Amino acid sequence: MRSLPKPIAAFYDVFDLCMEGVGRAVLKKNYEDIRGDLYKDASDYDVLAAQGDLWKIVPNNQLKDDVVVGNVTKKQLRGLYSNYMVAEGKPGRAIYDGLMASAPLEMCPYCGVGRVSTLDHYLPKAKFPRLSIVVENLIPACKDCNMGTKGTAVAVNAESQPIHPYYEGVDFNSAQWLFCDVLQTSPATIIYYANPPVSWSPVDRKRVGAHLKSFDLSARFSFQAAEELSHVRQTFIQYYRNSPSNERRDYLVQLETAEYALRPNSWKRAMYQALSNSQWYCDGGYQ
Ligand SMILES: [Zn+2]
């Protein structure tokens, strides 16, 4: 989980740029007629997101050809994004490219392991078509996170909302909440779970669990950890085979400290922490 700075593009600038790509006069007029309505939706989104209350926005269950606002159908609202922001060669594509490039090292903010390959609608456009080009709702994400359960699921209360990288990433990284257990298997197995500080509100404590679940992060982190464990094992066999177990522990603590300085809730930090705390692993379970 990583935070990203909120995009600074104003709604009207984004909307007008998309409009430059609309060729059909009637469709363009229909879009222009709802400009103010969509601006209002974008403004409401910003207020609710800052309060952690996006779940309060009512999902739209209409069919694709149903009119949603003015003379514009659900399909046409979604088309604002796919036809005039994503489509190559359209003026609105500059917004898409800018958002895609906003994640440092192309790292997906939801998981912190995948490479950004798409924009994810935090509130999915299938259910929230009026928000399809609201930049605050567009998160650069990896394919796995974009295709995860969050892709179609809609939060029904505050505690089931995944963490929003633009609004909440910093707050949820203020303390460690990601931990793991070391199972005494051969090779060792790392199992991830959320255990947020008791000082957090009940809603926030549940939300980190919802975040893990939404993106299937426990399983994906375990997979990453298995690869990392093979490197640790090789290092111990090559350089620490005849060392006392406390030297192996010190090595793991060093790795954990370095990871902690970068990100308190990275899967690596939690893994090194758990390994260094495992007497079994340091005594020889690494083999
Ligand atoms: Zn991801």
Side-chain angles (χ1 to χ4, degrees):
M1 171 66 230
R2 300 182 180 198
S3 64
L4 285 180
K6 196 167 78 168
I8 52 173
F11 176 78
Y12 282 139
D13 292 340
V14 174
F15 181 86
D16 292 346
L17 208 53
C18 290
M19 284 304 100
E20 287 180 27
V22 184
R24 289 162 51 204
V26 174
L27 179 61
K28 189 166 184 168
K29 179 174 186 312
N30 287 343
Y31 278 143
E32 296 282 5
D33 286 347
I34 61 166
R35 190 172 180 263
D37 296 286
L38 298 188
Y39 171 75
K40 171 82 167 47
D41 293 340
S43 301
D44 291 347
Y45 181 100
D46 191 42
V47 171
L48 290 169
Q51 297 169 350
D53 280 335
L54 284 177
W55 68 277
K56 290 181 177 174
I57 300 179
V58 179
N60 179 298
N61 292 315
Q62 290 176 271
L63 301 176
K64 65 183 172 67
D65 292 323
D66 289 345
V67 170
V68 174
V69 53
N71 292 316
V72 181
T73 65
K74 186 170 187 176
K75 184 180 175 186
Q76 289 168 335
L77 284 171
R78 296 177 60 169
L80 275 173
Y81 174 74
S82 48
N83 298 332
Y84 309 111
M85 186 183 277
V86 179
E88 296 273 2
K90 294 290 185 182
R93 175 76 186 195
I95 303 292
Y96 178 92
D97 291 340
L99 292 169
M100 286 285 285
S102 67
L105 304 174
E106 300 183 48
M107 193 64 86
C108 172
Y110 288 133
C111 63
V113 295
R115 184 181 174 204
V116 168
S117 64
T118 185
L119 289 184
D120 173 69
H121 286 78
Y122 180 88
L123 293 183
K125 62 183 183 304
K127 296 284 186 185
F128 303 90
R130 296 169 68 129
L131 301 168
S132 68
I133 58 165
V134 172
V135 289
E136 291 85 352
N137 192 45
L138 295 171
I139 318 288
C142 73
K143 193 169 167 229
D144 286 345
C145 286
N146 186 236
M147 301 292 283
T149 55
K150 194 197 75 58
T152 50
V154 174
V156 293
N157 50 37
E159 53 261 41
S160 56
Q161 302 175 108
I163 298 165
H164 198 307
Y166 293 148
Y167 292 87
E168 302 164 326
V170 174
D171 296 339
F172 279 94
N173 276 321
S174 63
Q176 184 178 13
W177 55 264
L178 181 66
F179 292 85
C180 56
D181 287 332
V182 180
L183 301 191
Q184 297 183 14
T185 52
S186 181
T189 303
I190 307 292
I191 303 292
Y192 286 86
Y193 60 93
N195 184 23
V198 290
S199 58
W200 285 14
S201 73
V203 167
D204 285 352
R205 284 174 57 80
K206 285 183 180 160
R207 283 192 65 186
V208 288
H211 188 87
L212 283 186
K213 193 174 170 197
S214 293
F215 301 108
D216 194 25
L217 292 186
S218 295
R220 292 169 63 197
F221 288 165
S222 287
F223 182 76
Q224 296 284 331
E227 169 77 9
E228 188 76 8
L229 274 178
S230 66
H231 293 290
V232 176
R233 175 177 181 273
Q234 194 56 36
T235 301
F236 283 171
I237 288 173
Q238 241 174 298
Y239 301 107
Y240 290 82
R241 180 181 283 279
N242 299 316
S243 306
S245 61
N246 67 304
E247 288 189 16
R248 285 189 283 273
R249 177 175 300 106
D250 290 347
Y251 171 76
L252 293 166
V253 168
Q254 275 181 16
L255 292 174
E256 189 228 333
T257 306
E259 283 297 325
Y260 172 69
L262 294 170
R263 280 172 288 278
N265 289 298
S266 76
W267 65 269
K268 270 191 192 178
R269 187 263 168 119
M271 185 190 87
Y272 289 133
Q273 182 185 54
L275 291 177
S276 67
N277 287 331
S278 168
Q279 190 69 45
W280 167 82
Y281 186 80
C282 295
D283 282 347
Y286 64 87
Q287 295 189 71

